[in-house]
DNA sequence: AACATATACAACCGCTCATAA
DNA sequence: CTTATGAGCGGTTGTATATGT
């Protein structure tokens, strides 16, 4: 026995919303609030499916939506979050106030994906395209990070130039150099993603939490493994003394040899991190 | 000007998950 | 425990607009 349909399809409008429908939906939600989407269309006098109303409200009519082009910072954040979370658009959207999952998804598919490809990065794996199929090890983790940094730099230059009317040369997407504007982009060496992610084990104190925040912020420059709390483990590829101290203190209950199969902590989403390589697709829910 | 193709994005569809009965 | 239901998510499609030929 199949599920009953979410709404009566025969008597509902489909396709683009009219101004009148928008007004009805907005005024109804303003006076009654967001509630039962199934019954809302009838109550609001709309010949629409509840799902359609919800989508229209969330993606287009909500007053707190930020319209307009994505900023460079939003661009960077989306790329970084996607490298961590994959196609979890709703999670990504929670980190971009005023942006919806649908908007980010569309933006990704129409803009970011193409830019990554142009920069030689596989948009799915966030790794260099020519190495996308090779097995991952610590040196490649570092290369991936380097590629990401290079791409972000490239992306910024491209966006600046495009905004000043630079021409793109043929299908290869090459930039034609013009004398007019030369931007010197000083790219910070570290990825400046400040998610306030707390991947460290829950027993750790506030001081450590503050340090973790620092590390994910601009102040520290660490390898990927260290930023994910795996410092000095086999994934660690930097010689950051701070990483080594951190690793030895946070892993006092287990040896470095067994960390790969241990629960190393919980991230901000409540995902249990239990492998040496941060892989959200296989992490269990806490 | 007319047509073809590419692009952007709103909207839809089918599925999963959470929850109440 | 099972089933029905609503909410939400992510993939896909449809369509308007822009650009190229």
């Amino acid at each position: 026995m199949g599920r009953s349909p979410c709404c009566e399809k025969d008597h509902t409008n489909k396709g683009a919303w009219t101004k009148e429908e928008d007004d009805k939906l907005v005024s109804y939600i303003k006076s009654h609030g967001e509630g039962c989407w199934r019954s809302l269309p009838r109550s609001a006098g709309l010949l629409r499916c509840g799902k359609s109303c919800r989508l229209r409200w969330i993606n287009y009519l909500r007053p707190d939506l930020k319209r307009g082009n994505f900023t460079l910072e939003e661009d960077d954040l989306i790329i970084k979050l996607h490298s961590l979370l994959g196609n979890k658009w709703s999670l990504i959207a929670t980190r971009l106030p005023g942006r919806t999952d649908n908007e980010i998804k569309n933006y990704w598919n129409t803009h970011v994906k193409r830019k990554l490809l142009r920069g030689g990065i596989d948009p799915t794996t966030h790794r260099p395209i020519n190495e996308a199929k090779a097995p991952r090890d610590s040196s490649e983790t570092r290369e991936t990070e380097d590629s990401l940094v290079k791409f972000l730099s490239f992306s910024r230059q491209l966006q600046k130039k495009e905004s000043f009317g630079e021409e793109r040369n043929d299908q290869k997407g090459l930039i034609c150099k013009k004398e007019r504007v030369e931007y010197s982009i000083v790219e910070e060496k570290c990825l400046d993603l400040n998610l306030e992610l707390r991947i460290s084990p829950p027993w750790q104190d506030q001081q450590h939490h503050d340090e973790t925040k620092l590390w994910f912020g601009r102040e520290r420059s660490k390898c990927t493994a260290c930023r994910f709390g795996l410092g000095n483990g086999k994934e660690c590829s930097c010689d950051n003394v701070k990483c080594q101290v951190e690793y030895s203190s946070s892993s006092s209950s287990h040896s470095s040899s067994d960390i790969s199969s241990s629960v190393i902590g919980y991230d901000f989403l409540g995902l249990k991190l239990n492998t040496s390589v941060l892989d959200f697709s296989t992490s269990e829910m806490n």
Side-chain angles (χ1 to χ4, degrees):
Chain A
M1 192 175 77
R3 282 185 53 173
S4 62
C6 69
C7 52
E8 191 60 56
K9 306 254 182 203
D10 290 345
H11 304 100
T12 54
N13 294 338
K14 292 177 80 173
W17 279 64
T18 64
K19 179 82 174 61
E20 196 181 21
E21 287 177 312
D22 281 348
D23 291 343
K24 276 185 182 176
L25 182 57
V26 169
S27 67
Y28 182 84
I29 292 177
K30 271 182 181 171
S31 54
H32 297 87
E34 290 179 48
C36 176
W37 292 108
R38 190 183 167 87
S39 61
L40 184 146
R42 186 189 295 264
S43 308
L46 285 162
L47 292 173
R48 287 277 179 175
C49 168
K51 283 173 79 166
S52 180
C53 293
R54 178 185 159 271
L55 215 61
R56 182 67 179 168
W57 172 255
I58 288 174
N59 289 331
Y60 203 81
L61 300 173
R62 241 169 50 196
D64 57 331
L65 288 180
K66 187 196 285 183
R67 313 298 303 180
N69 296 336
F70 282 76
T71 64
L72 287 169
E73 288 70 27
E74 287 176 315
D75 245 29
D76 289 358
L77 192 52
I78 289 168
I79 292 164
K80 289 166 187 169
L81 286 167
H82 187 273
S83 72
L84 287 171
L85 302 169
N87 294 357
K88 302 291 178 194
W89 306 116
S90 59
L91 284 177
I92 293 171
T94 63
R95 293 285 164 175
L96 286 127
R99 302 295 189 185
T100 69
D101 52 357
N102 206 36
E103 192 178 12
I104 294 167
K105 179 174 62 183
N106 282 331
Y107 185 65
W108 175 268
N109 287 327
T110 56
H111 293 86
V112 184
K113 230 175 174 176
R114 202 170 306 146
K115 277 189 179 180
L116 283 168
L117 286 169
R118 218 186 290 161
I121 304 289
D122 185 322
T124 309
T125 62
H126 292 260
R127 301 168 67 193
I129 286 169
N130 58 354
E131 295 173 15
K133 285 174 183 166
R136 178 182 281 250
D137 62 24
S138 59
S139 64
E140 288 189 357
T141 302
R142 195 164 56 244
E143 285 169 13
T144 300
E145 187 174 4
D146 287 346
S147 299
L148 201 50
V149 169
K150 280 177 193 161
F151 167 74
L152 292 172
S153 174
F154 173 81
S155 172
R156 283 181 181 155
Q157 292 179 53
L158 183 61
Q159 209 155 340
K160 295 271 188 195
K161 291 182 182 204
E162 280 177 341
S163 69
F164 276 86
E166 294 258 5
E167 291 173 359
R168 273 191 286 148
N169 180 14
D170 66 54
Q171 307 98 318
K172 292 177 184 172
L174 299 174
I175 303 298
C176 296
K177 212 167 186 180
K178 283 190 176 176
E179 49 206 302
R180 191 153 47 96
V181 186
E182 276 306 325
Y183 275 89
S184 70
I185 310 242
V186 179
E187 185 61 58
E188 62 271 25
K189 192 61 191 162
C190 71
L191 295 173
D192 56 352
L193 178 59
N194 185 357
L195 294 171
E196 296 190 20
L197 300 175
R198 191 176 184 182
I199 301 181
S200 55
W203 60 80
Q204 286 177 311
D205 61 19
Q206 185 60 38
Q207 184 193 349
H208 173 267
H209 178 51
D210 293 342
E211 289 174 359
T212 305
K213 282 168 67 176
L214 264 183
W215 289 8
F216 279 97
R218 293 171 181 277
E219 290 83 346
R220 309 293 303 189
S221 176
K222 297 162 65 92
C223 72
T224 304
C226 291
R227 282 191 290 105
F228 290 155
L230 298 167
N232 206 25
K234 62 179 180 180
E235 302 295 332
C236 178
S237 57
C238 76
D239 54 2
N240 190 327
V241 174
K242 184 74 183 171
C243 300
Q244 293 167 16
V245 172
E246 175 57 26
Y247 177 77
S248 59
S249 70
S250 67
S251 64
S252 56
S253 61
H254 48 248
S255 66
S256 59
S257 61
D258 67 17
I259 189 156
S260 62
S261 59
S262 303
V263 175
I264 61 167
Y266 299 86
D267 83 319
F268 72 122
L269 303 169
L271 292 167
K272 186 161 73 181
L273 304 170
N274 57 2
T275 64
S276 60
V277 175
L278 191 70
D279 181 0
F280 284 85
S281 65
T282 57
S283 296
E284 299 170 37
M285 291 301 293
N286 180 18

